[in-house]
Amino acid sequence: LVLLLLALAVTGLPVPTPNLRFLAACLAGGLAQVVATNLLIMAFGFRNFAVGTAYSKTDVVQSAVIALILLHEVLRPLAWAGIALGLTGVMTLSLAGRGLRPGDLLRATVQPAALCGLGAGFGFALTTVFIKLANQALSGPSLVVRALLVLVVTNTLQTLMQGGWLAWREPQELRKAFTTWRSSSWAGTLSAAGSACWFTAFAMTDVALVRAVGQV
């Protein structure tokens, strides 16, 4: 919210007018990110959590495919090669010391950790596409202002969704969240700053290219 107010002050522009398409895309993107994050945490609960983490890195490829279908973003062959190279690199790092050969990795695909990782990657891929759709649903000359408004609305909806779930199912955990605000606020602030960069970049170019460079 602070970043959005600063952007409005610098540009002198009014707040873009939200619409139903914008709100629906923010809601879908926020929900997809919450589900993806929970799937990634679930992957940590299995013995082969490193496999789950590695498979979650397929979100770049999945983003490219989903963006091709929904956003009609067509990548050049060199871009696909770069994405494949980056994916190979992060999976190698994630599985460092595991000694998994390609055949072992293929057989590991059916493990619960790997399935959670693939599901997390799919959720993160959906998130990137919905965030871009939300930005495209707004009108206004400032790309940064639109991106920050998407971020504020998405984070607000995520807080309501996740907070409502905790209040219903685990109210004691919700109370703990308020007692640790001194440390968790730093994580939240840095996360919001990083998301502001992500959301702005998604609005500027192909989402798969943003995710691929972001992996570095």
Side-chain angles (χ1 to χ4, degrees), residues 158-181 184:
Q158 286 178 318
T159 301
L160 293 174
M161 286 186 288
Q162 190 75 24
W165 174 266
L166 285 173
W168 175 42
R169 298 299 297 268
E170 299 183 59
Q172 70 281 3
E173 295 299 322
L174 185 60
R175 286 192 293 270
K176 291 179 183 178
F178 288 99
T179 62
T180 60
W181 66 270
S184 60

Side-chain angles (χ1 to χ4, degrees), residues 180-190:
T180 60
W181 66 270
R182 286 181 177 83
S183 56
S184 60
S185 61
W186 288 106
T189 300
L190 292 171

Side-chain angles (χ1 to χ4, degrees), residues 23-39:
L23 293 174
C26 288
L27 181 65
L31 180 60
Q33 189 177 41
V34 169
V35 172
T37 303
N38 278 277
L39 284 171

Side-chain angles (χ1 to χ4, degrees), residues 5-209:
L5 293 175
L6 286 173
L8 292 173
V10 169
T11 60
L13 296 172
V15 179
T17 304
N19 54 65
L20 188 59
R21 180 186 168 198
F22 162 77
L23 293 174
C26 288
L27 181 65
L31 180 60
Q33 189 177 41
V34 169
V35 172
T37 303
N38 278 277
L39 284 171
L40 185 59
I41 294 173
M42 286 174 60
F44 296 159
F46 297 101
R47 292 179 61 186
N48 291 328
F49 68 91
V51 173
T53 304
Y55 275 99
S56 71
K57 304 303 182 183
T58 61
D59 66 316
V60 178
V61 176
Q62 296 190 61
S63 294
V65 174
I66 297 174
L68 175 63
I69 298 172
L70 297 181
L71 301 176
H72 308 294
E73 292 184 350
V74 180
L75 300 179
R76 296 180 179 181
L78 188 59
W80 281 105
I83 289 173
L85 181 62
L87 176 62
T88 302
V90 295
M91 291 192 72
T92 301
L93 289 171
S94 299
L95 298 171
R98 291 275 166 169
L100 291 182
R101 298 175 181 176
D104 298 326
L105 195 61
L106 186 61
R107 286 188 292 273
T109 306
V110 296
Q111 294 179 3
L115 294 177
C116 286
L118 286 171
F122 181 68
F124 288 130
L126 282 178
T127 301
T128 62
V129 172
F130 281 125
I131 292 308
K132 182 153 190 176
L133 286 173
N135 195 293
Q136 292 177 345
L138 294 174
S139 59
S142 175
L143 182 148
V144 174
V145 169
R146 297 201 313 267
L148 291 175
L149 180 60
V150 173
L151 174 61
V152 169
V153 173
T154 301
N155 276 359
T156 301
L157 291 173
Q158 286 178 318
T159 301
L160 293 174
M161 286 186 288
Q162 190 75 24
W165 174 266
L166 285 173
W168 175 42
R169 298 299 297 268
E170 299 183 59
Q172 70 281 3
E173 295 299 322
L174 185 60
R175 286 192 293 270
K176 291 179 183 178
F178 288 99
T179 62
T180 60
W181 66 270
R182 286 181 177 83
S183 56
S184 60
S185 61
W186 288 106
T189 300
L190 292 171
S191 176
S195 294
C197 296
W198 279 117
F199 283 33
T200 304
F202 291 148
M204 294 174 65
T205 187
D206 299 333
V207 295
L209 297 182

